[in-house]
Amino acid sequence: MNTLHNVLVTGGAGYVGSVLVPKLLAAGHKVTVLDWFLFVPVVFEEFSQNSNLVLIKGDIRDEDTIKQALAGQDAVIHLACISNDPSFEMDPELGKSINYDASLQLFRLAKEMGVRRFIYASSSSVYGVKDEDKVTEDLSLEPLTDYSKFKAMCEPELLAMASETFVPLVLRPATVCGYSPRLRLDLTVNILTCHAIEKKIITVFGGDQTRPNIHIDDMTDLYVKTLEYSDEQIAGKIYNAGYDNFTVYEIAKMVQEVVGEDVEIIRQDSDDKRSYRVDSSKIKRELGFETKKTVRDAIADIADAFRAGKVPNALTDPQYYNIKMMQQEKQPA
Ligand SMILES: NC(=O)c1ccc[n+]([C@@H]2O[C@H](COP(=O)([O-])OP(=O)(O)OC[C@H]3O[C@@H](n4cnc5c(N)ncnc54)[C@H](O)[C@@H]3O)[C@@H](O)[C@H]2O)c1
C-alpha cells in the first residue's frame, strides 16, 4: 500500500477525530471528515484553506451521503457513533441505528466501492468484567451494555468481509484521556482533572475499580500508523490498544499530585464494582506499537489547557458532555 491515501474519517469532528485529522493531514493524506458536526463546528477552522481537507456535514445512516463520502477513498477510519453508555441509553433505537445498522451498511458500501482498508474503532469495554488478570484479545466478549454489545457485534461482521482487496482491522481502545480541541469531560481521567481544577474536590465512588487508559496522542498516532502497516500485518486482526490499567483511586491520586496538593479526594461507597483491565502486549509484539505518553501527561495537558483558557465553562457547557449534547440536539439536522 502506498504511504499516501485518500482517507475518510467518520466522526472525525469528535474528541479523537479532532486530534487525529490534523495528524493525518500532516502525514500527507487527503482527508474527508463525515460528521454531524454537533460539537464545536469551528474545530477545523485553521484548516479552512487546506485543499487536502474536505468536510461533509451529514449522517452516516444516509446511504447517499455515505456513497458521496466513500467515492475515491483508499481507507476508512470509522469513529462515528453514539460513543458512551448514557448517550446510548438515552435513545437505544437511535444508538442501534447508528452504531450497528449504519456501521454494517458502511462496511458493505466501503467494500463495494473499492475502499481497500477499513479501520474500525471498537472498544475495550466489549470484554465486560473479567476475572483474568490479563484481558487478551482471545477472551470471550461479555459486553455489559448495549453500547458495548453493538461494538462487539460489528467486529465479526467487518472481519468476515476480509478479502484480497478489502483489509479490515479492529482496534479495541482503552478509555482515551488528554486534551483535544473537542474536549470530552465525561471520560474518567478528564472529568477527575476537571473537578480537581474547577472544584478543588474529587469525589471517587468506590475507587478500587480498575480502568484501562490510553493518551489521546498515542491513540491518534496508532490510527495514523494503521495506514502505514502492510496488508499482511493487519488484515483481519483485532488489537487491544491501551497504555496502562489503574484503579480510579490511583488516577485520582495522580490528578491530585499534578493539579495540586490542595485538591481534596473524597471517597464514597459505590455499588458499581465493575472493574476491568486490558492487556495490550499483542499490538506491541506484532506491530511494534508502543505508547509514549502517560496518564500523568494527559492530566498535565488538560491542566495546561485550563490555565490557557481553552476550556471555558467546563462544568456547565454541554459541549464537553456527550449526554448533554444529545439531550440538546435530540433531533440532529
Ligand atoms: N473516547 C474513548 O475513550 C473511546 C474508547 C474506546 C473506543 N472509542 C471509540 O472511538 C470512537 C471515537 O470516540 P470519541 O471519544 O472521539 O467520540 P465522540 O463522541 O467525541 O465522537 C464521535 C463523533 O461521531 C459523530 N457522529 C455520531 N453519530 C453520527 C452520525 N449518525 N452521522 C455522522 N456523525 C455522527 C459525532 O458528531 C461525533 O463528532 C468512537 O467510535 C468510540 O466508541 C472511544
Side-chain angles (χ1 to χ4, degrees):
M1 201 174 186
N2 296 327
T3 47
L4 295 184
H5 302 100
N6 296 314
V7 186
L8 170 64
V9 184
T10 70
Y15 171 61
V16 172
S18 301
V19 175
L20 171 62
V21 168
K23 288 187 182 182
L24 291 170
L25 291 170
H29 299 289
K30 280 178 176 279
V31 183
T32 301
V33 171
L34 170 59
D35 199 294
W36 269 343
F37 285 97
L38 297 185
F39 313 100
V40 200
V42 293
V43 82
F44 298 124
E45 222 163 44
E46 64 178 292
F47 301 100
S48 60
Q49 301 304 314
N50 189 328
S51 59
N52 280 343
L53 178 62
V54 175
L55 303 180
I56 301 177
K57 181 175 165 61
D59 191 326
I60 62 159
R61 290 171 297 171
D62 183 75
E63 189 168 338
D64 290 339
T65 305
I66 287 295
K67 284 181 174 164
Q68 179 203 345
L70 284 172
Q73 304 295 350
D74 302 310
V76 173
I77 300 175
H78 179 36
L79 305 178
C81 77
I82 303 301
S83 57
N84 67 4
D85 293 332
S87 309
F88 195 104
E89 281 149 23
M90 200 188 94
D91 189 340
E93 266 181 46
L94 177 78
K96 176 179 177 286
S97 73
I98 295 171
N99 293 16
Y100 186 64
D101 303 332
S103 291
L104 297 199
Q105 171 172 260
L106 180 66
F107 302 162
R108 179 178 58 78
L109 289 173
K111 185 173 177 181
E112 278 173 23
M113 290 180 66
V115 170
R116 180 161 184 85
R117 188 166 288 206
F118 199 109
I119 315 300
Y120 176 57
S122 181
S123 167
S124 59
S125 65
V126 291
Y127 296 108
V129 176
K130 294 280 183 202
D131 291 332
E132 287 84 348
D133 194 37
K134 288 189 185 307
V135 176
T136 46
E137 291 82 345
D138 51 324
L139 294 186
S140 63
L141 306 188
E142 298 169 84
L144 296 168
T145 63
D146 278 352
Y147 162 78
S148 307
K149 180 179 88 181
F150 289 115
K151 285 281 184 195
M153 285 167 62
C154 280
E155 292 185 2
E157 299 278 352
L158 175 66
L159 296 181
M161 292 184 191
S163 73
E164 286 280 294
T165 55
F166 188 69
V167 178
L169 168 68
V170 170
L171 295 179
R172 293 178 181 159
T175 304
V176 185
C177 54
Y179 180 72
S180 158
R182 213 303 270 169
L183 188 56
R184 280 182 64 184
L185 292 175
D186 53 7
L187 299 163
T188 314
V189 171
N190 298 4
I191 188 74
L192 293 182
T193 307
C194 169
H195 285 181
I197 293 166
E198 295 281 296
K199 304 206 249 185
K200 292 286 169 201
I201 291 178
I202 307 175
T203 306
V204 173
F205 296 93
D208 295 327
Q209 315 95 317
T210 310
R211 291 283 179 272
N213 308 277
I214 186 165
H215 193 290
I216 193 160
D217 269 342
D218 286 317
M219 194 61 231
T220 49
D221 283 351
L222 175 58
Y223 283 120
V224 176
K225 284 189 178 159
T226 62
L227 304 179
E228 295 162 5
Y229 297 123
S230 69
D231 290 349
E232 296 68 34
Q233 277 177 296
I234 63 164
K237 298 281 184 66
I238 299 177
Y239 289 110
N240 292 339
Y243 144 71
D244 219 340
N245 303 284
F246 292 109
T247 68
V248 178
Y249 185 68
E250 283 170 336
I251 295 172
K253 286 298 285 179
M254 277 187 255
V255 170
Q256 186 186 48
E257 282 159 26
V258 174
V259 174
E261 288 302 324
D262 57 335
V263 172
E264 190 185 347
I265 301 176
I266 298 173
R267 286 186 86 155
Q268 288 189 0
D269 280 348
S270 167
D271 292 338
D272 181 6
K273 306 281 186 242
R274 284 180 304 153
S275 186
Y276 54 100
R277 46 197 305 123
V278 297
D279 177 278
S280 299
S281 55
K282 180 182 168 194
I283 196 165
K284 181 175 171 187
R285 211 168 47 244
E286 295 189 3
L287 297 181
F289 174 76
E290 280 190 83
T291 55
K292 297 193 183 82
K293 294 207 170 173
T294 63
V295 165
R296 217 174 272 271
D297 292 330
I299 297 165
D301 293 347
I302 293 174
D304 285 348
F306 270 85
R307 258 183 244 113
K310 292 182 186 169
V311 197
N313 309 313
L315 294 174
T316 52
D317 191 332
Q319 68 163 303
Y320 304 115
Y321 305 91
N322 280 7
I323 180 75
K324 292 185 188 168
M325 283 299 286
M326 291 281 298
Q327 282 158 348
Q328 196 169 286
E329 299 275 346
K330 186 108 197 314
Q331 292 305 324

